[in-house]
Amino acid sequence: MKQILFSNRPSILFRTFVFFIFCLTVTSSFAQVLTFQDYVPKAWEASSSGNFEEIERLTTECVEKYSDEAKQQQATLTAFPLKGTEDEYKALNDVATCLFIHAEALMNRGEIDKAIELFQQAIDDYFWAQSWDPRGWYWSVAEKSQASVDKLRGKEEEKKEIKIDRGSKTMPTLAFPGTEEVIDYKKYGHFENVGTKDYQYVMDDPAGLMKAIGEGIYPNTSGVLKDPMYRKFQKEGALSRSHWDYVQTDDLQKAFYKWATASEPQGVKLFYLGLILEKADMIYDALKAYRAIQIHFPSSVGRTYWNTPWYPGQAAIAKIRHIIKVHPELDLKYEDAKIQVINGFDNDIANDIVLTWPGTLRKKTFWDKVVEKFQSFFAKRTCDRRIKNFKKSIGGKKVRLIQCAETGHWQLLVDGKPFMIQAVTYQATKVGQSPDKGTLADWMIEDINHNGLADGPYDSWVDKNLNNIQDEDEPVVGDFQLLVDMGVNTIRVYKQPYNPNKELLRKMYEDYGIMVIMGDFLGKYALGSGATWFEGTDYENPEHKKTMLESVRKMVEEFKDEPYILMWLLGNENNYGLGCNADKKPHAYYAFVEEVAQMIKSIDRNHPVAISNGDTLFLDIFAENCPSVDAFAANAYRGDYGFGSYWDQVFDASGKAAFITEYGCPAYANHLSREDAEQAQADYHNGAWSDIILNSAGTADGVGNAIGGVVFQWIDEWWKNYEPAFHDKTAGALGPFPDGYMYEEWFGLTGQGNGKNSPFLRHLRKVYDYYKSVWN
């Protein structure tokens, strides 16, 4: 339900009357006039601050007012509401969420029987309720309530993992495969208006192209209909499910048929066909699918889980480059391909202008290989010279960001030497602690074993045999040593909610050489602005802005002379909202970012200033408003092929240096063993880091503006799905991960075992060894 607002300005007399009535109703700090939409956010806010009386008042009042409506909505459902219709069941969702919040508060107070009663009420009466996670997805209230009940009754060890039925393993067999491995499109047609919005490919010989490309791939979309195996499946009703049900199936034969005939935009359909063919190791066919998007449907648009635009053509180009990189045996040359979406950094696809350069994909010749060797040689020589030959220099003597005069490439220098950011987000969170419950301790000072040292940094040990016991051959090592052994040279730290421990960070730098990207949330999560969580940071509010400027000023003045500071970082994907209104007022937000950057430079010109964005949303507004920000960085999770057009987009829009402030992949997938899931995680990171290197300074084929990346994250944090004592394996949001889902409690490069030796135990995953090999 939405608040009803007056459409016309009321008279002064009327407004005075309304204000008088309002004053009569507000007789105490608790006698607030709440709208329907207020209860859940205010209850969460009370939960975070540990205000039990307010939790009890808000949740009880919500249940009393809206339980009848919630039960009526529950009665109409036999499954969770369809995606996109969740708001139609707000009473159901809010009443159940309030019960959950109240029950959790009781549990934390030790009132176990009362807590179980409310959890059970949420399960029994409101089973199909979902609660909105501001990070971008819904979660089942009944499922989380059941997990808490099981924990309280001592049954958490009895929980059985539910596996998704992925079908029998089959590989596609095509009745009408293509006659050519690599398609020369000039042989079957011609390109018109290359590099403009009027680009198109005109087929002069469609029959020849259909024969060369094979069944299922445009323009041979009707080929599948003639396939005997497809006809057999159709007759048996074996393809009756939605094509989305086949995205993560192991039955690749049926998945291929289903997606080849799916009623989706051609670009979306071809991209998923490419993924299926990749899984089947039909690499040439996968390349044909991706290439067909770029040639025929460069303007195609899909939607992400968060309903933001997704451009399959740009993703297809990245996929082709990735495949060629990981399969050098194909001996393929891919050049001059690009799709640029002007006005593509907002959520409005109506204003998009798409410019297309189809480029070429072909087998390498002898001369191609000779030229590549010369390009590599000269790129290296240019890289060696550019420290003395640059057109821009930002920073001071110790830390400098420079742009090469000859190539336009960007590079970070520390103590005069090239420095690639090889970083992790570090937060040694003890199992059972949670910021949502107000129990998260400061890892920089937490000393559970009372030996005078911070637990995670100095007292962790590696459980080599995964038995959750510290054996004699498993000595204490400490995370700082493990990080430096892996090749980490930087960690990312924010000054909120705890002020960083200068002595600890100084010792980390002196003993291990690890530097710090120091950040201020700049009002994200309502941190640093003085706003409450319920109201959120407003980037047009003078008081909020003043408080944030002071927060940043104190940070810079306190830490600017510390030897470990690499750069200043502003925000953390504030453009997505969540405790702030940057998503609704992006111009105000980025204008304020510029104001903050100017203030930083008035105090400290020795360190670069960067922003942490949510992918490239509003990149154009950033470019227009933030000339004083030296580097554009983003939290980006695009897939195992890396970051696609990200580097081009940043360079084209702003010309600035770029890096990634978060990227990663869960070490869990529902259909994989632990070993295979860890390998899939390592493969994902390989694609991501290789893409960063490909686009760094001195490379022949990349953009040259990549200065590094920050891995998310060091260890698994168990609080991400609200029950911090339970390592949740519930499928979260859809995403480009090994089984198609985000398991946010499993993103660690290291695990915490069964949690009983937290925060000390470390399970080093395969991805740790991957970085150890490439970062050293």
PDB file of all heavy atoms in Angstrom, residues 106 137 141 145 159 236 263 282 304 312 398 409 467 489 514 552 582 584 616 639 647 666 672 699 714 744 751:
ATOM      1  N   LEU A 106      13.047 -12.293  20.777  1.00  0.00           N
ATOM      2  CA  LEU A 106      12.811 -13.155  21.933  1.00  0.00           C
ATOM      3  C   LEU A 106      13.914 -14.198  22.075  1.00  0.00           C
ATOM      4  O   LEU A 106      14.386 -14.487  23.182  1.00  0.00           O
ATOM      5  CB  LEU A 106      11.448 -13.837  21.795  1.00  0.00           C
ATOM      6  CG  LEU A 106      10.223 -12.928  21.969  1.00  0.00           C
ATOM      7  CD1 LEU A 106       8.964 -13.640  21.472  1.00  0.00           C
ATOM      8  CD2 LEU A 106      10.053 -12.515  23.432  1.00  0.00           C
ATOM      9  N   TRP A 137      16.628  -9.131  -3.215  1.00  0.00           N
ATOM     10  CA  TRP A 137      15.869 -10.351  -3.455  1.00  0.00           C
ATOM     11  C   TRP A 137      14.933 -10.635  -2.279  1.00  0.00           C
ATOM     12  O   TRP A 137      15.011 -10.022  -1.226  1.00  0.00           O
ATOM     13  CB  TRP A 137      16.804 -11.540  -3.672  1.00  0.00           C
ATOM     14  CG  TRP A 137      17.792 -11.788  -2.576  1.00  0.00           C
ATOM     15  CD1 TRP A 137      17.608 -12.470  -1.420  1.00  0.00           C
ATOM     16  CD2 TRP A 137      19.154 -11.340  -2.530  1.00  0.00           C
ATOM     17  NE1 TRP A 137      18.738 -12.484  -0.657  1.00  0.00           N
ATOM     18  CE2 TRP A 137      19.709 -11.796  -1.314  1.00  0.00           C
ATOM     19  CE3 TRP A 137      19.951 -10.604  -3.407  1.00  0.00           C
ATOM     20  CZ2 TRP A 137      21.030 -11.538  -0.968  1.00  0.00           C
ATOM     21  CZ3 TRP A 137      21.265 -10.344  -3.048  1.00  0.00           C
ATOM     22  CH2 TRP A 137      21.788 -10.812  -1.841  1.00  0.00           C
ATOM     23  N   VAL A 141      10.161 -16.567   4.605  1.00  0.00           N
ATOM     24  CA  VAL A 141      10.075 -16.383   6.054  1.00  0.00           C
ATOM     25  C   VAL A 141       9.930 -17.730   6.749  1.00  0.00           C
ATOM     26  O   VAL A 141      10.544 -17.978   7.794  1.00  0.00           O
ATOM     27  CB  VAL A 141       8.896 -15.460   6.413  1.00  0.00           C
ATOM     28  CG1 VAL A 141       8.765 -15.321   7.929  1.00  0.00           C
ATOM     29  CG2 VAL A 141       9.080 -14.087   5.777  1.00  0.00           C
ATOM     30  N   SER A 145      12.437 -19.252   9.476  1.00  0.00           N
ATOM     31  CA  SER A 145      11.839 -19.542  10.788  1.00  0.00           C
ATOM     32  C   SER A 145      12.094 -20.991  11.179  1.00  0.00           C
ATOM     33  O   SER A 145      12.420 -21.291  12.336  1.00  0.00           O
ATOM     34  CB  SER A 145      10.331 -19.271  10.757  1.00  0.00           C
ATOM     35  OG  SER A 145      10.068 -17.900  10.519  1.00  0.00           O
ATOM     36  N   LYS A 159      19.420 -31.273   9.779  1.00  0.00           N
ATOM     37  CA  LYS A 159      18.969 -30.682   8.522  1.00  0.00           C
ATOM     38  C   LYS A 159      19.628 -31.386   7.354  1.00  0.00           C
ATOM     39  O   LYS A 159      20.824 -31.601   7.323  1.00  0.00           O
ATOM     40  CB  LYS A 159      19.298 -29.189   8.475  1.00  0.00           C
ATOM     41  CG  LYS A 159      18.458 -28.364   9.423  1.00  0.00           C
ATOM     42  CD  LYS A 159      18.824 -26.913   9.328  1.00  0.00           C
ATOM     43  CE  LYS A 159      18.409 -26.316   8.008  1.00  0.00           C
ATOM     44  NZ  LYS A 159      16.964 -26.225   7.854  1.00  0.00           N
ATOM     45  N   GLU A 236       6.418 -37.066 -26.940  1.00  0.00           N
ATOM     46  CA  GLU A 236       6.359 -37.670 -25.607  1.00  0.00           C
ATOM     47  C   GLU A 236       6.014 -36.646 -24.518  1.00  0.00           C
ATOM     48  O   GLU A 236       5.808 -37.020 -23.365  1.00  0.00           O
ATOM     49  CB  GLU A 236       7.709 -38.310 -25.275  1.00  0.00           C
ATOM     50  CG  GLU A 236       8.074 -39.488 -26.176  1.00  0.00           C
ATOM     51  CD  GLU A 236       9.501 -39.974 -25.943  1.00  0.00           C
ATOM     52  OE1 GLU A 236      10.265 -39.267 -25.229  1.00  0.00           O
ATOM     53  OE2 GLU A 236       9.853 -41.037 -26.472  1.00  0.00           O
ATOM     54  N   SER A 263      10.397 -18.745 -26.632  1.00  0.00           N
ATOM     55  CA  SER A 263       9.788 -17.467 -27.027  1.00  0.00           C
ATOM     56  C   SER A 263      10.432 -16.332 -26.229  1.00  0.00           C
ATOM     57  O   SER A 263       9.827 -15.736 -25.352  1.00  0.00           O
ATOM     58  CB  SER A 263       8.277 -17.493 -26.767  1.00  0.00           C
ATOM     59  OG  SER A 263       8.010 -17.794 -25.410  1.00  0.00           O
ATOM     60  N   MET A 282      30.969 -28.051 -27.010  1.00  0.00           N
ATOM     61  CA  MET A 282      30.781 -27.821 -28.445  1.00  0.00           C
ATOM     62  C   MET A 282      31.176 -26.360 -28.713  1.00  0.00           C
ATOM     63  O   MET A 282      30.341 -25.495 -28.957  1.00  0.00           O
ATOM     64  CB  MET A 282      29.339 -28.127 -28.842  1.00  0.00           C
ATOM     65  CG  MET A 282      28.951 -29.577 -28.570  1.00  0.00           C
ATOM     66  SD  MET A 282      27.179 -29.934 -28.748  1.00  0.00           S
ATOM     67  CE  MET A 282      26.952 -29.709 -30.508  1.00  0.00           C
ATOM     68  N   THR A 304      17.867  -8.398 -15.992  1.00  0.00           N
ATOM     69  CA  THR A 304      18.500  -9.157 -14.920  1.00  0.00           C
ATOM     70  C   THR A 304      17.461  -9.525 -13.868  1.00  0.00           C
ATOM     71  O   THR A 304      16.301  -9.121 -13.943  1.00  0.00           O
ATOM     72  CB  THR A 304      19.611  -8.328 -14.250  1.00  0.00           C
ATOM     73  OG1 THR A 304      19.000  -7.229 -13.549  1.00  0.00           O
ATOM     74  CG2 THR A 304      20.599  -7.799 -15.272  1.00  0.00           C
ATOM     75  N   PRO A 312      22.798  -8.594 -24.256  1.00  0.00           N
ATOM     76  CA  PRO A 312      23.442  -9.853 -24.645  1.00  0.00           C
ATOM     77  C   PRO A 312      24.548  -9.679 -25.674  1.00  0.00           C
ATOM     78  O   PRO A 312      25.514 -10.450 -25.687  1.00  0.00           O
ATOM     79  CB  PRO A 312      22.287 -10.683 -25.219  1.00  0.00           C
ATOM     80  CG  PRO A 312      21.044 -10.085 -24.675  1.00  0.00           C
ATOM     81  CD  PRO A 312      21.343  -8.629 -24.493  1.00  0.00           C
ATOM     82  N   LYS A 398      54.975   8.808  -2.977  1.00  0.00           N
ATOM     83  CA  LYS A 398      54.844   7.387  -2.651  1.00  0.00           C
ATOM     84  C   LYS A 398      53.821   6.688  -3.539  1.00  0.00           C
ATOM     85  O   LYS A 398      54.070   5.600  -4.080  1.00  0.00           O
ATOM     86  CB  LYS A 398      54.459   7.201  -1.182  1.00  0.00           C
ATOM     87  CG  LYS A 398      54.373   5.734  -0.771  1.00  0.00           C
ATOM     88  CD  LYS A 398      54.090   5.564   0.707  1.00  0.00           C
ATOM     89  CE  LYS A 398      53.986   4.102   1.094  1.00  0.00           C
ATOM     90  NZ  LYS A 398      55.252   3.359   0.871  1.00  0.00           N
ATOM     91  N   HIS A 409      47.190   4.519 -21.614  1.00  0.00           N
ATOM     92  CA  HIS A 409      46.995   3.522 -20.561  1.00  0.00           C
ATOM     93  C   HIS A 409      47.253   4.140 -19.185  1.00  0.00           C
ATOM     94  O   HIS A 409      48.020   5.089 -19.049  1.00  0.00           O
ATOM     95  CB  HIS A 409      47.929   2.328 -20.766  1.00  0.00           C
ATOM     96  CG  HIS A 409      47.583   1.504 -21.967  1.00  0.00           C
ATOM     97  ND1 HIS A 409      48.205   0.308 -22.256  1.00  0.00           N
ATOM     98  CD2 HIS A 409      46.677   1.688 -22.952  1.00  0.00           C
ATOM     99  CE1 HIS A 409      47.704  -0.196 -23.364  1.00  0.00           C
ATOM    100  NE2 HIS A 409      46.771   0.629 -23.808  1.00  0.00           N
ATOM    101  N   ASN A 467      39.234 -31.768   9.127  1.00  0.00           N
ATOM    102  CA  ASN A 467      38.565 -32.549  10.178  1.00  0.00           C
ATOM    103  C   ASN A 467      38.036 -31.679  11.313  1.00  0.00           C
ATOM    104  O   ASN A 467      37.560 -32.194  12.329  1.00  0.00           O
ATOM    105  CB  ASN A 467      39.508 -33.623  10.727  1.00  0.00           C
ATOM    106  CG  ASN A 467      40.686 -33.028  11.503  1.00  0.00           C
ATOM    107  OD1 ASN A 467      40.893 -31.807  11.489  1.00  0.00           O
ATOM    108  ND2 ASN A 467      41.458 -33.893  12.156  1.00  0.00           N
ATOM    109  N   ASN A 489      48.418  -7.635  -1.761  1.00  0.00           N
ATOM    110  CA  ASN A 489      49.199  -6.442  -1.413  1.00  0.00           C
ATOM    111  C   ASN A 489      48.335  -5.322  -0.836  1.00  0.00           C
ATOM    112  O   ASN A 489      48.867  -4.271  -0.450  1.00  0.00           O
ATOM    113  CB  ASN A 489      50.003  -5.930  -2.615  1.00  0.00           C
ATOM    114  CG  ASN A 489      49.133  -5.566  -3.806  1.00  0.00           C
ATOM    115  OD1 ASN A 489      47.943  -5.285  -3.672  1.00  0.00           O
ATOM    116  ND2 ASN A 489      49.730  -5.577  -4.999  1.00  0.00           N
ATOM    117  N   ILE A 514      51.353  -5.000   3.422  1.00  0.00           N
ATOM    118  CA  ILE A 514      49.993  -4.888   2.906  1.00  0.00           C
ATOM    119  C   ILE A 514      49.481  -3.459   3.085  1.00  0.00           C
ATOM    120  O   ILE A 514      49.529  -2.909   4.183  1.00  0.00           O
ATOM    121  CB  ILE A 514      49.049  -5.883   3.608  1.00  0.00           C
ATOM    122  CG1 ILE A 514      49.511  -7.326   3.343  1.00  0.00           C
ATOM    123  CG2 ILE A 514      47.611  -5.708   3.137  1.00  0.00           C
ATOM    124  CD1 ILE A 514      48.746  -8.372   4.127  1.00  0.00           C
ATOM    125  N   VAL A 552      34.220  12.380   6.363  1.00  0.00           N
ATOM    126  CA  VAL A 552      35.329  12.155   5.437  1.00  0.00           C
ATOM    127  C   VAL A 552      36.534  13.012   5.826  1.00  0.00           C
ATOM    128  O   VAL A 552      37.684  12.562   5.785  1.00  0.00           O
ATOM    129  CB  VAL A 552      34.897  12.456   3.991  1.00  0.00           C
ATOM    130  CG1 VAL A 552      36.091  12.306   3.035  1.00  0.00           C
ATOM    131  CG2 VAL A 552      33.772  11.528   3.564  1.00  0.00           C
ATOM    132  N   ALA A 582      20.464   7.557  -3.377  1.00  0.00           N
ATOM    133  CA  ALA A 582      21.265   7.800  -4.580  1.00  0.00           C
ATOM    134  C   ALA A 582      20.639   7.163  -5.811  1.00  0.00           C
ATOM    135  O   ALA A 582      20.869   7.626  -6.937  1.00  0.00           O
ATOM    136  CB  ALA A 582      22.684   7.267  -4.381  1.00  0.00           C
ATOM    137  N   LYS A 584      17.486   7.165  -6.455  1.00  0.00           N
ATOM    138  CA  LYS A 584      16.381   8.036  -6.858  1.00  0.00           C
ATOM    139  C   LYS A 584      16.859   9.441  -7.218  1.00  0.00           C
ATOM    140  O   LYS A 584      16.199  10.150  -7.977  1.00  0.00           O
ATOM    141  CB  LYS A 584      15.344   8.107  -5.737  1.00  0.00           C
ATOM    142  CG  LYS A 584      14.739   6.753  -5.384  1.00  0.00           C
ATOM    143  CD  LYS A 584      13.790   6.882  -4.203  1.00  0.00           C
ATOM    144  CE  LYS A 584      13.199   5.517  -3.832  1.00  0.00           C
ATOM    145  NZ  LYS A 584      14.230   4.571  -3.359  1.00  0.00           N
ATOM    146  N   THR A 616      27.918  -0.372 -13.666  1.00  0.00           N
ATOM    147  CA  THR A 616      28.042   0.879 -14.418  1.00  0.00           C
ATOM    148  C   THR A 616      26.748   1.688 -14.437  1.00  0.00           C
ATOM    149  O   THR A 616      26.604   2.601 -15.255  1.00  0.00           O
ATOM    150  CB  THR A 616      28.485   0.601 -15.865  1.00  0.00           C
ATOM    151  OG1 THR A 616      27.568  -0.319 -16.467  1.00  0.00           O
ATOM    152  CG2 THR A 616      29.895   0.036 -15.908  1.00  0.00           C
ATOM    153  N   GLY A 639      30.114 -12.768 -14.499  1.00  0.00           N
ATOM    154  CA  GLY A 639      30.203 -14.137 -14.979  1.00  0.00           C
ATOM    155  C   GLY A 639      31.635 -14.618 -15.044  1.00  0.00           C
ATOM    156  O   GLY A 639      32.587 -13.879 -14.749  1.00  0.00           O
ATOM    157  N   TRP A 647      35.471  -2.201 -19.097  1.00  0.00           N
ATOM    158  CA  TRP A 647      36.663  -1.362 -19.269  1.00  0.00           C
ATOM    159  C   TRP A 647      36.451  -0.351 -20.399  1.00  0.00           C
ATOM    160  O   TRP A 647      36.826   0.821 -20.270  1.00  0.00           O
ATOM    161  CB  TRP A 647      37.877  -2.251 -19.532  1.00  0.00           C
ATOM    162  CG  TRP A 647      37.967  -3.388 -18.574  1.00  0.00           C
ATOM    163  CD1 TRP A 647      37.655  -4.703 -18.810  1.00  0.00           C
ATOM    164  CD2 TRP A 647      38.330  -3.318 -17.185  1.00  0.00           C
ATOM    165  NE1 TRP A 647      37.810  -5.449 -17.670  1.00  0.00           N
ATOM    166  CE2 TRP A 647      38.223  -4.633 -16.653  1.00  0.00           C
ATOM    167  CE3 TRP A 647      38.734  -2.284 -16.349  1.00  0.00           C
ATOM    168  CZ2 TRP A 647      38.505  -4.923 -15.332  1.00  0.00           C
ATOM    169  CZ3 TRP A 647      39.024  -2.574 -15.019  1.00  0.00           C
ATOM    170  CH2 TRP A 647      38.913  -3.877 -14.524  1.00  0.00           C
ATOM    171  N   PRO A 666      30.511 -17.997  -5.307  1.00  0.00           N
ATOM    172  CA  PRO A 666      30.366 -18.915  -4.178  1.00  0.00           C
ATOM    173  C   PRO A 666      31.128 -20.226  -4.399  1.00  0.00           C
ATOM    174  O   PRO A 666      31.278 -20.688  -5.531  1.00  0.00           O
ATOM    175  CB  PRO A 666      28.848 -19.158  -4.120  1.00  0.00           C
ATOM    176  CG  PRO A 666      28.349 -18.862  -5.489  1.00  0.00           C
ATOM    177  CD  PRO A 666      29.235 -17.780  -6.024  1.00  0.00           C
ATOM    178  N   LEU A 672      26.963 -29.799  -7.331  1.00  0.00           N
ATOM    179  CA  LEU A 672      28.368 -30.162  -7.388  1.00  0.00           C
ATOM    180  C   LEU A 672      28.885 -30.665  -6.048  1.00  0.00           C
ATOM    181  O   LEU A 672      28.415 -30.251  -4.998  1.00  0.00           O
ATOM    182  CB  LEU A 672      29.215 -28.955  -7.826  1.00  0.00           C
ATOM    183  CG  LEU A 672      28.955 -28.388  -9.224  1.00  0.00           C
ATOM    184  CD1 LEU A 672      29.814 -27.141  -9.452  1.00  0.00           C
ATOM    185  CD2 LEU A 672      29.225 -29.423 -10.302  1.00  0.00           C
ATOM    186  N   THR A 699      49.241  -3.962 -22.360  1.00  0.00           N
ATOM    187  CA  THR A 699      48.769  -5.099 -23.135  1.00  0.00           C
ATOM    188  C   THR A 699      48.360  -4.641 -24.528  1.00  0.00           C
ATOM    189  O   THR A 699      47.923  -3.499 -24.721  1.00  0.00           O
ATOM    190  CB  THR A 699      47.575  -5.774 -22.446  1.00  0.00           C
ATOM    191  OG1 THR A 699      46.551  -4.800 -22.204  1.00  0.00           O
ATOM    192  CG2 THR A 699      47.996  -6.377 -21.117  1.00  0.00           C
ATOM    193  N   TRP A 714      37.453 -12.687   1.950  1.00  0.00           N
ATOM    194  CA  TRP A 714      38.471 -13.550   2.540  1.00  0.00           C
ATOM    195  C   TRP A 714      37.858 -14.818   3.133  1.00  0.00           C
ATOM    196  O   TRP A 714      38.279 -15.927   2.794  1.00  0.00           O
ATOM    197  CB  TRP A 714      39.261 -12.779   3.589  1.00  0.00           C
ATOM    198  CG  TRP A 714      40.227 -13.634   4.378  1.00  0.00           C
ATOM    199  CD1 TRP A 714      40.228 -13.850   5.724  1.00  0.00           C
ATOM    200  CD2 TRP A 714      41.316 -14.391   3.853  1.00  0.00           C
ATOM    201  NE1 TRP A 714      41.252 -14.702   6.071  1.00  0.00           N
ATOM    202  CE2 TRP A 714      41.937 -15.053   4.935  1.00  0.00           C
ATOM    203  CE3 TRP A 714      41.823 -14.598   2.569  1.00  0.00           C
ATOM    204  CZ2 TRP A 714      43.036 -15.885   4.785  1.00  0.00           C
ATOM    205  CZ3 TRP A 714      42.930 -15.428   2.409  1.00  0.00           C
ATOM    206  CH2 TRP A 714      43.518 -16.063   3.506  1.00  0.00           C
ATOM    207  N   GLU A 744      25.387 -16.305  -0.807  1.00  0.00           N
ATOM    208  CA  GLU A 744      26.265 -15.237  -0.337  1.00  0.00           C
ATOM    209  C   GLU A 744      27.063 -15.619   0.895  1.00  0.00           C
ATOM    210  O   GLU A 744      28.038 -14.950   1.234  1.00  0.00           O
ATOM    211  CB  GLU A 744      25.466 -13.956  -0.084  1.00  0.00           C
ATOM    212  CG  GLU A 744      26.356 -12.728  -0.130  1.00  0.00           C
ATOM    213  CD  GLU A 744      25.590 -11.421  -0.007  1.00  0.00           C
ATOM    214  OE1 GLU A 744      24.346 -11.453   0.040  1.00  0.00           O
ATOM    215  OE2 GLU A 744      26.238 -10.371   0.064  1.00  0.00           O
ATOM    216  N   GLY A 751      37.109 -21.128   4.075  1.00  0.00           N
ATOM    217  CA  GLY A 751      35.920 -21.464   4.838  1.00  0.00           C
ATOM    218  C   GLY A 751      36.222 -21.540   6.319  1.00  0.00           C
ATOM    219  O   GLY A 751      37.393 -21.499   6.740  1.00  0.00           O
TER     220      GLY A 751
END
